Amino acid sequence: QAYSGASTIKTFLLEQASGAVAAGSLGWDTPVSVTPDHLAVGDGVLATWPLPVTLPLHAVAQLMTALSDNTATNAVVDTLGGLEVVNDVLAAAGCSTRMRRWVTGRYVDPRADSWDSSPSLPSRAGLSVVVVSEHVAAIDRLVTEPRHAVARAMLEQQWHRDSLARPLVDETPFAHKSGSVGGVRHDGGVLLPGTPDALTVHCFTDGPERDELVDDVAGVGMGRAMARTLELLGLGRLVAG
């Protein structure tokens, strides 16, 4: 199904940025100008900085991924060539996932009205439409392909650990991306990436409107199931006491 994607769209932006670096069209040290035009409220720290500021692409992508910084996200989209370019790349890859607008809504892809969540889901698409299987595949590429090693490290630095990662000790490698807005609660990634014990877990949910600070029963439950699985595999040391 196609979900209202919230911040999970940032996984695909990270992959495109990492792919551009691997191809040589960008570098992790490429200067990115973050301007007042990119300003977005919500998650992140750049919105509180005096703008404009110039940072290397690595720092902006890291803020977008690890802190889910919304202002950084808009700057990354600009660096990739804009919304339409981002969505054309997704389409060329055979994905139905799309980024409909900037986080602020300042810029909207003119095709956005044709992209919406599956009719069976209650939340209509806002920022993005994300297909779960495509998010799984994107994370898998980011954690397994050597060209994405820098991006994988950013996923492992994910600040939001209140869903699937809640039962894990802080040092446990878990390359994942979460997203939440209104009734939407998503989290998904690969636990212990690059090892024989790697475990892929994705939990996307949609339900009634609620505050983002309210725990999601399915996400917390899936996290507990993941923790129990680790114990059964003899990896109980990774589960918080």
Side-chain angles (χ1 to χ4, degrees):
Q1 294 195 88
Y3 282 79
S4 173
S7 289
T8 55
I9 190 64
K10 298 170 186 177
T11 300
F12 299 88
L13 299 177
L14 176 65
E15 183 180 19
Q16 288 192 22
S18 182
V21 171
S25 58
L26 290 174
W28 287 122
D29 59 351
T30 296
V32 175
S33 180
V34 185
T35 72
D37 195 40
H38 297 126
L39 189 66
V41 298
D43 286 348
V45 296
L46 282 179
T48 67
W49 289 21
L51 301 176
V53 64
T54 299
L55 299 168
L57 175 60
H58 183 284
V60 180
Q62 188 175 37
L63 287 167
M64 174 188 75
T65 306
L67 296 184
S68 208
D69 192 298
N70 291 331
T71 301
T73 300
N74 291 337
V76 168
V77 172
D78 247 0
T79 303
L80 292 172
L83 276 174
E84 293 181 61
V85 171
V86 164
N87 287 318
D88 287 346
V89 170
L90 287 168
C95 292
S96 297
T97 293
R98 296 288 187 274
M99 186 171 189
R100 300 177 73 247
R101 57 173 174 80
W102 271 21
V103 183
T104 58
R106 184 188 301 271
Y107 296 109
V108 178
D109 190 305
R111 302 163 290 185
D113 287 344
S114 64
W115 304 324
D116 203 356
S117 313
S118 296
S120 61
L121 297 171
S123 296
R124 297 300 87 205
L127 170 65
S128 63
V129 176
V130 174
V131 177
V132 185
S133 60
E134 293 172 2
H135 192 259
V136 173
I139 293 276
D140 183 63
R141 290 189 295 270
L142 285 165
V143 302
T144 59
E145 296 180 10
R147 66 190 181 120
H148 292 312
V150 172
R152 166 180 150 177
M154 295 180 189
L155 287 170
E156 291 184 19
Q157 296 158 8
Q158 173 69 229
W159 183 259
H160 294 282
R161 298 177 63 88
D162 54 354
S163 184
L164 292 179
R166 175 178 289 190
L168 304 176
V169 298
D170 288 343
E171 297 78 18
T172 303
F174 186 28
H176 67 121
K177 187 72 190 80
S178 61
S180 63
V181 63
V184 169
R185 299 291 186 277
H186 307 324
D187 195 2
V190 178
L191 183 68
L192 303 179
T195 74
D197 297 313
L199 179 67
T200 296
V201 184
H202 288 254
C203 181
F204 277 47
T205 70
D206 193 356
E209 186 78 16
R210 56 205 150 146
D211 189 280
E212 285 196 59
L213 297 178
V214 176
D215 289 338
D216 178 73
V217 174
V220 173
M222 287 279 280
R224 289 174 177 168
M226 186 173 71
R228 178 58 179 153
T229 300
L230 291 173
E231 292 171 347
L232 293 171
L233 292 174
L235 298 170
R237 69 184 184 279
L238 303 178
V239 180

